[in-house]
Amino acid sequence: MPIMAKMRDNLPAILLSLVILFLLTIVLDWGMDITGRHRSNGFAREPIGIVNGEEITYQEFNQALEFEIENFKQRTGNDPDDFMLEQLRNQVWEQLVTRKLIEQEIKKLNLTVTDEEITDWVLNSPETLPEPVKRNFVDSTGKIDRVLLERALKSTTPQARQFWIEVEKFLKAQKLTEKLQSRLLASVLVSEGEIRERFEKQNTRYEIKYVSLDPNRFSKEISEPTDDEIKEYYRNHQDEFRIQETRRLKYVLFSDMPSAEDTASVLRELENFKQQAMQGADFVELVKNYSEAPFSDVFFKHGELLPEIENEIWDKKVGEIVGPLKASDGIHLIKILDERKGSDTFVRASHILVPIGRDTAESYNLAKDILNLAKKGEDFAKLAATFSVDQVTASKGGDLGWFGKGRMVKEFEEACFKAKPGEIVGPVRTQYGLHIIKVIAKDNRELKIADIKLGVRASSETIESQRKRAEDFSHTVSGKKFVQEASALGLDIKTTPPFTKDSPIPGIGFNKTISDWAFSNKLGSVSPVFKIRGGFAVFTISEIKEAGIRPLEEVREAIKVRVRREKLKDKAYNYLESLRTKLNKNEGLESITKLDSTLEVKTASGFTLSGGIPGIGTDENVLGKLIDMKPNEISQTIKGNSFVYLIQLVNKTPFDSSAYKSQHETLKQQIYNEKKNTLFFSWIDNLKKNAKIVDNRSLYFEQ
């Protein structure tokens, strides 16, 4: 393909990539995960945001959103709903704010990229160019075609000039990012000791003997915490009781679920298709043109269709149209296209499950009584609802639906396949209990169907109606008693647990817009309408707690538990330490059982410190002691998170210098990446905390 034609074909995708590639460079190089998207709402005079005096325009915000819309569609195959749009909008906001802050820091540090640097990059290291640029100049083997590259550089066509202008912008942005990274990461070093420690944690395998002592053994030997002990603990552990500023919200939700009219509309549409089919329209063509599920030209066996459909079609004849049928995934209109005999037989059965208690004979007697009632003509479904302990099927009259061989436990399956349709058998004992079984039918037929499936979704009228109700409520309740007004309208009032700023709101999820509103308004304030999953919500701030130290009385009981636990640990520690001093060193840890026969010496082997100790877990108090221990050495008594321990190191694999050498660079890079990511995120968080950020999104989008 000629170079200009190739560039022209790729230009739209390349330009779109270049618009956001500065951010993508950060994503790829730093490990960030900031994405987003949005719909265009037109233009406005006000910038959508201001970061330290610099504007984020609506156009650039919308461009990033549109890009993410396409990404979302490609990932999911669907358009995002309103809730997802709000989430993506928030993500794009964070993305652009981060970009703006990074650009400002680049300017502060006087970082620049010259034309000569870009020229040198393109001419002398084209193989290192970013993929959206490099892919225009590679041959069939994926290598740079220098002849193609030189032709493109010499081209004077408008397309070529525009291409290189955009390439230069991007390459400069990437070089600036690299220089910023180099400046920030200059202090990030990985020592040989860190690499060796990581290697040993991941590769050295240990074998130990250990004794664990439960402090609760001494519960009767300690005194209850005194008031002075509680106060002392409170004074010495203030940081444990430090709390962030929190909010609690009450809210009402106006559901945007489909209305009865939305369901009726789908039913009318399917009834129309049914009439068309009855008048001669090709049903399969109707499926292909209108169904949300593709036509499947296959035969179905029992159990392969939804129960709501299964129960309605198997007694119908070829050519019959069934429905509309409401099912869990929508509403269906089905035509039976064909029928054939299959090689597998299926059974439909109901059962009543009687548990086997301590008195087996009594359980059998109850099962036999139920069996006799069923055989005498008592309603099996009512008997199942009354006596069966299988709660899943009892409410459905014991109905298990259709099943083939291999689906049920052996004893149950054999009884079902031996019985005739209409026959009631039992009691059949399985691992679950005693079963009374009614075989409803047997069948080996397979059906081919055409299925017009339509989902029931809220119409725009339904959604706007609920949005209007929410807005009316928000305006009406403003300045009044929220709970009183909501109750008067019969609305369900929900309450969130306390939450901190920039954290997920329990029951709602992460929603920065709602969180920002909650932390910038007063107690009793009523919110505008916010879109959340499930509908439109109106909030009121029902509780504000400022940051600080929780009062002693509020945490007294918790402290009491902790002090008591420490007393128990101290008691267990002193006891185990006293035994350790009496151990026979020649016999090792095993000799402790001669001092206390209730203690058990356990063994754990083949573990690494990165994976935890079998029977102990990842208790750092214990893991930290093992690193420096020598074979046959018995540790000092260790206070673990829950238990108190004595450990004897039996053996550990020797240091493998060859493996260390082979893993050295990988481990070094692993540690380096962890350090640089930690540093970067800390740096970004600090920039955001100290930045003056104006958020004008409410001028463009309904909340």
Side-chain angles (χ1 to χ4, degrees):
M1 178 186 291
I3 179 63
M4 284 296 95
K6 186 175 181 181
M7 287 172 55
R8 185 167 57 250
D9 290 344
N10 287 316
L11 191 57
I14 292 172
L15 294 179
L16 186 57
S17 297
L18 295 177
V19 170
I20 58 142
L21 218 43
F22 173 71
L23 286 174
L24 290 184
T25 302
I26 299 170
V27 172
L28 295 174
D29 289 350
W30 295 86
M32 294 179 66
D33 183 19
I34 43 177
T35 57
R37 96 176 212 205
H38 178 60
R39 299 169 293 186
S40 173
N41 281 343
F43 301 103
R45 296 177 182 176
E46 291 292 328
I48 203 165
I50 304 173
V51 181
N52 293 326
E54 293 190 15
E55 295 183 356
I56 298 174
T57 67
Y58 173 80
Q59 288 89 337
E60 63 182 308
F61 186 89
N62 189 60
Q63 196 170 29
L65 282 166
E66 290 296 343
F67 177 82
E68 292 301 335
I69 286 173
E70 290 306 312
N71 271 351
F72 184 88
K73 287 180 179 178
Q74 290 177 17
R75 290 196 311 269
T76 67
N78 299 309
D79 288 321
D81 58 19
D82 286 347
F83 176 79
M84 183 52 64
L85 276 172
E86 177 65 18
Q87 300 307 303
L88 295 175
R89 194 179 297 143
N90 288 336
Q91 291 168 3
V92 166
W93 170 257
E94 292 299 323
Q95 175 183 343
L96 293 179
V97 167
T98 299
R99 171 185 173 178
K100 190 66 69 175
L101 288 169
I102 290 174
E103 288 175 340
Q104 291 170 358
E105 287 303 301
I106 287 173
K107 290 177 183 177
K108 285 181 185 178
L109 294 170
N110 293 318
L111 300 177
T112 59
V113 176
T114 66
D115 292 342
E116 288 74 18
E117 287 179 277
I118 299 302
T119 301
D120 180 67
W121 189 4
V122 173
L123 289 177
N124 299 322
S125 302
E127 65 280 351
T128 66
L129 289 170
E131 183 58 32
V133 179
K134 185 174 69 174
R135 68 186 176 203
N136 293 278
F137 312 112
V138 296
D139 57 25
S140 59
T141 66
K143 294 182 179 180
I144 289 289
D145 185 332
R146 288 189 173 271
V147 174
L148 204 60
L149 177 59
E150 288 173 7
R151 286 179 185 171
L153 285 167
K154 292 176 182 178
S155 176
T156 58
T157 66
Q159 294 97 330
R161 285 198 298 271
Q162 180 63 29
F163 174 79
W164 288 116
I165 287 170
E166 298 300 334
V167 166
E168 183 180 10
K169 287 179 183 178
F170 165 61
L171 294 181
K172 282 190 173 183
Q174 178 154 311
K175 276 292 184 185
L176 284 171
T177 305
E178 291 173 359
K179 290 186 177 184
L180 175 63
Q181 289 184 41
S182 297
R183 183 74 65 91
L184 287 175
L185 301 177
S187 62
V188 178
L189 302 172
V190 180
S191 69
E192 195 66 26
E194 289 174 305
I195 300 171
R196 181 164 181 137
E197 181 180 342
R198 178 69 63 90
F199 173 81
E200 290 186 338
K201 279 189 174 181
Q202 294 180 358
N203 293 273
T204 302
R205 297 195 172 275
Y206 291 79
E207 180 181 356
I208 65 169
K209 292 180 180 178
Y210 71 93
V211 171
S212 58
L213 179 59
D214 186 350
N216 288 316
R217 170 174 167 175
F218 303 95
S219 58
K220 294 181 180 179
E221 300 179 29
I222 64 164
S223 59
E224 289 299 309
T226 65
D227 192 56
D228 287 341
E229 288 173 328
I230 291 172
K231 289 178 179 177
E232 182 181 5
Y233 187 95
Y234 181 72
R235 284 194 301 272
N236 295 335
H237 298 80
Q238 292 282 290
D239 284 344
E240 294 180 20
F241 306 109
R242 193 175 299 280
I243 57 171
Q244 295 177 268
E245 185 179 6
T246 63
R247 295 291 186 272
R248 189 195 296 266
L249 304 176
K250 290 185 183 296
Y251 68 100
V252 292
L253 180 65
F254 296 83
S255 172
D256 61 359
M257 297 295 289
S259 65
E261 176 53 34
D262 294 329
T263 301
S265 175
V266 175
L267 287 170
R268 286 194 296 270
E269 189 172 2
L270 287 170
E271 286 291 353
N272 180 46
F273 292 144
K274 187 174 185 178
Q275 289 303 315
Q276 291 181 44
M278 298 290 284
Q279 293 169 11
D282 187 320
F283 200 93
V284 172
E285 286 302 311
L286 290 174
V287 172
K288 292 178 179 178
N289 291 330
Y290 300 105
S291 178
E292 294 176 4
F295 173 66
S296 181
D297 190 21
V298 299
F299 280 87
F300 290 95
K301 299 177 181 180
H302 282 290
E304 292 181 341
L305 296 168
L306 291 171
E308 302 95 329
I309 296 173
E310 172 91 39
N311 296 336
E312 294 292 333
I313 67 171
W314 289 92
D315 60 346
K316 301 300 188 292
K317 297 177 181 178
V318 173
E320 275 195 69
I321 297 175
V322 185
L325 301 174
K326 291 182 180 179
S328 57
D329 64 343
I331 304 179
H332 299 253
L333 184 68
I334 296 169
K335 182 174 183 178
I336 314 298
L337 299 180
D338 199 0
E339 175 185 310
R340 72 182 183 189
K341 294 292 184 182
S343 57
D344 299 321
T345 298
F346 293 84
V347 171
R348 183 180 179 186
S350 295
H351 81 137
I352 300 168
L353 179 60
V354 177
I356 298 176
R358 292 183 178 179
D359 190 335
T360 305
E362 185 178 343
S363 299
Y364 267 96
N365 289 335
L366 174 59
K368 289 175 181 177
D369 289 342
I370 297 170
L371 175 64
N372 290 332
L373 289 171
K375 286 188 172 183
K376 288 179 180 179
E378 290 282 342
D379 189 312
F380 195 91
K382 289 182 179 179
L383 291 174
T386 302
F387 294 105
S388 183
V389 295
D390 180 356
Q391 297 301 315
V392 175
T393 64
S395 60
K396 300 183 292 184
D399 190 2
L400 293 163
W402 288 91
F403 54 89
K405 289 186 176 180
R407 286 278 307 278
M408 300 295 182
V409 293
K410 182 181 178 182
E411 302 89 346
F412 189 93
E413 178 184 290
E414 289 178 349
C416 289
F417 278 89
K418 285 180 181 178
K420 298 176 182 178
E423 189 175 355
I424 299 172
V425 298
V428 176
R429 182 168 182 169
T430 71
Q431 64 197 68
Y432 302 106
L434 301 172
H435 304 260
I436 311 302
I437 304 168
K438 180 178 181 179
V439 175
I440 300 170
K442 288 185 178 182
D443 194 10
N444 66 350
R445 290 178 302 149
E446 297 176 358
L447 296 182
K448 180 187 289 188
I449 64 172
D451 180 6
I452 304 176
K453 189 203 97 171
L454 298 180
V456 181
R457 299 178 181 85
S459 64
S460 58
E461 291 80 6
T462 296
I463 292 171
E464 287 308 310
S465 172
Q466 290 298 81
R467 188 197 303 274
K468 183 66 166 54
R469 285 186 65 209
E471 289 172 348
D472 290 345
F473 175 76
S474 177
H475 295 147
T476 300
V477 79
S478 182
K480 299 181 181 179
K481 293 183 178 179
F482 186 94
V483 173
Q484 181 179 323
E485 291 293 322
S487 299
L489 293 172
L491 299 172
D492 181 27
I493 303 167
K494 303 177 186 292
T495 304
T496 71
F499 60 92
T500 59
K501 188 174 176 61
D502 298 326
S503 67
I505 303 172
I508 293 172
F510 184 82
N511 191 307
K512 191 174 186 301
T513 308
I514 297 174
S515 182
D516 286 347
W517 173 84
F519 281 87
S520 59
N521 284 277
K522 299 177 181 179
L523 186 69
S525 296
V526 175
S527 77
V529 175
F530 290 107
K531 181 68 180 75
I532 65 173
R533 188 170 295 281
F536 303 96
V538 179
F539 296 83
T540 185
I541 302 172
S542 59
E543 178 185 276
I544 293 177
K545 283 194 174 182
E546 303 297 341
I549 307 297
R550 295 176 68 184
L552 173 59
E553 289 310 310
E554 195 174 294
V555 296
R556 178 179 290 275
E557 288 304 312
I559 291 176
K560 189 175 180 180
V561 171
R562 296 184 194 186
V563 172
R564 190 173 189 281
R565 185 66 182 168
E566 286 304 314
K567 284 188 172 187
L568 287 169
K569 275 191 182 180
D570 288 342
K571 191 75 175 178
Y573 176 89
N574 292 334
Y575 177 74
L576 206 53
E577 180 65 14
S578 69
L579 296 183
R580 186 188 67 81
T581 60
K582 301 172 185 176
L583 288 175
N584 185 326
K585 293 183 179 180
N586 294 326
E587 296 180 12
L589 190 59
E590 295 283 358
S591 63
I592 200 169
T593 58
K594 296 178 181 178
L595 302 172
D596 184 341
S597 61
T598 65
L599 295 175
E600 180 183 358
V601 179
K602 300 177 182 177
T603 300
S605 61
F607 63 88
T608 64
L609 297 186
S610 62
I613 305 172
I616 296 178
T618 56
D619 192 325
E620 290 296 333
N621 302 293
V622 180
L623 294 174
K625 297 290 184 183
L626 276 175
I627 295 174
D628 299 320
M629 288 180 67
K630 298 175 181 178
N632 297 318
E633 181 183 353
I634 297 175
S635 71
Q636 299 287 321
T637 303
I638 304 167
K639 279 187 183 180
N641 293 329
S642 301
F643 290 80
V644 176
Y645 301 93
L646 273 178
I647 292 177
Q648 181 178 10
L649 177 61
V650 177
N651 189 29
K652 67 177 180 180
T653 55
F655 182 79
D656 188 335
S657 57
S658 296
Y660 179 65
K661 185 177 180 180
S662 68
Q663 296 180 35
H664 186 277
E665 288 307 310
T666 300
L667 292 173
K668 182 178 180 179
Q669 191 62 44
Q670 185 183 86
I671 298 168
Y672 177 77
N673 288 339
E674 291 169 3
K675 284 188 169 186
K676 78 172 187 180
N677 285 335
T678 299
L679 174 64
F680 176 74
F681 286 118
S682 175
W683 179 72
I684 284 292
D685 286 343
N686 190 56
L687 287 181
K688 288 182 178 179
K689 287 176 183 176
N690 295 309
K692 185 177 180 181
I693 299 172
V694 178
D695 184 352
N696 290 329
R697 282 178 291 166
S698 61
L699 300 177
Y700 293 84
F701 308 109
E702 294 182 2
Q703 301 298 313

